[in-house]
Amino acid sequence: MGVACLSRSIGRRVSENIAETTFDVLRRHGLLDLERMRRMRIQDMHQVSEVLNAEYRGIVDRGKKAAALFTNAQMLHDMYGGDLNGLYELGRSSAKVVPMLQQFKQIYTRARWVCRSMHEAGLWTDLTKDDLMFFDSHVRRALTRLGLVDNNQAWLRLRQEMHDVVMDLFDGNTTCLYRLGRYLCAPAESEACNGRCTLKDICLYAQC
């Protein structure tokens, strides 16, 4: 386990739907297989580049992203036996899981996304709140609709405002906001969340 999660983590700059579609295509072609990827065969590298060019809509250097996929597969094999759980077991006791993930190419700010994904899957249960503090569209949606942040500002300022609110009001825990934003707060119609969300009475979006 691990190469697929690492692959997805370098695709977080585009929408989740695009990232999921892209990496589902790679998987169907066997291009997320660790043993195949770490051999870095020219034909496989060309095929990955073709998939990224066809499916990946992010404004990024697709060549560098394709190269990162293969480099990360090799690093995962050589350093952790091909299993991200090996990294977790080594890093959790010294609170170094995030820095260890950041060794991989094009992962840096998304290391916490990997941690959150593993935690959500019930796998990496011994992580700190800081390890899980990742701000994305789900957390932003929850905070914006609750009226706790102003969504109409540049991302860096918005991220800082979200961080401050999370530290002040949620004790640094973004997991509850992520779950709210992803699983309950996603519907565009306020009628849908009115029937399911326990926060509807204090939510500005639900009262519109």
Side-chain angles (χ1 to χ4, degrees):
M1 178 194 66
V3 68
C5 189
L6 285 177
S7 298
R8 280 184 166 79
S9 70
I10 71 172
R12 293 297 99 186
R13 290 182 181 177
V14 298
S15 73
E16 284 196 13
N17 288 339
I18 291 175
E20 291 294 329
T21 297
T22 301
F23 293 107
D24 282 344
V25 173
L26 289 173
R27 183 191 295 107
R28 289 200 302 271
H29 285 84
L31 294 169
L32 293 182
D33 177 77
L34 178 64
E35 291 302 316
R36 182 176 176 182
M37 292 185 72
R38 73 183 190 86
R39 288 196 291 269
M40 297 187 181
R41 296 184 301 186
I42 296 298
Q43 60 266 38
D44 288 340
M45 298 181 76
H46 285 165
Q47 192 172 1
V48 167
S49 294
E50 289 174 358
V51 171
L52 291 181
N53 286 331
E55 303 290 344
Y56 203 78
R57 305 303 184 205
I59 306 175
V60 295
D61 187 325
R62 293 174 179 81
K64 288 184 178 179
K65 195 164 291 292
L69 293 175
F70 287 93
T71 300
N72 288 345
Q74 185 68 58
M75 291 175 62
L76 182 63
H77 176 272
D78 293 347
M79 299 170 66
Y80 304 109
D83 190 345
L84 273 181
N85 280 329
L87 180 152
Y88 171 68
E89 292 300 331
L90 287 172
R92 64 173 179 164
S93 60
S94 55
K96 292 183 178 179
V97 173
V98 168
M100 291 168 72
L101 284 168
Q102 290 172 337
Q103 298 175 90
F104 292 95
K105 301 295 183 182
Q106 298 199 11
I107 297 294
Y108 195 75
T109 59
R110 291 170 294 284
R112 288 178 174 82
W113 177 87
V114 175
C115 289
R116 189 182 70 184
S117 298
M118 292 298 194
H119 187 75
E120 279 292 294
L123 298 174
W124 293 5
T125 57
D126 190 16
L127 292 169
T128 67
K129 293 175 184 176
D130 182 68
D131 291 335
L132 301 170
M133 189 180 288
F134 184 77
F135 296 97
D136 60 3
S137 60
H138 302 300
V139 175
R140 179 177 63 183
R141 182 185 305 114
L143 289 173
T144 299
R145 290 184 174 181
L146 287 171
L148 298 176
V149 298
D150 178 10
N151 192 43
N152 297 313
Q153 56 184 318
W155 169 249
L156 290 180
R157 293 186 62 184
L158 174 58
R159 188 187 184 286
Q160 184 60 52
E161 185 176 355
M162 289 192 293
H163 179 274
D164 294 343
V165 168
V166 167
M167 295 302 295
D168 291 343
L169 300 182
F170 298 93
D171 193 29
N173 187 348
T174 58
T175 302
C176 57
L177 293 165
Y178 164 70
R179 290 171 176 165
L180 173 64
R182 180 174 184 183
Y183 300 114
L184 283 180
C185 206
E189 303 82 9
S190 59
E191 292 82 1
C193 54
N194 274 338
R196 297 186 296 163
C197 185
T198 58
L199 299 178
K200 60 185 180 182
D201 293 337
I202 62 171
C203 177
L204 296 182
Y205 178 79
Q207 295 171 20
C208 291

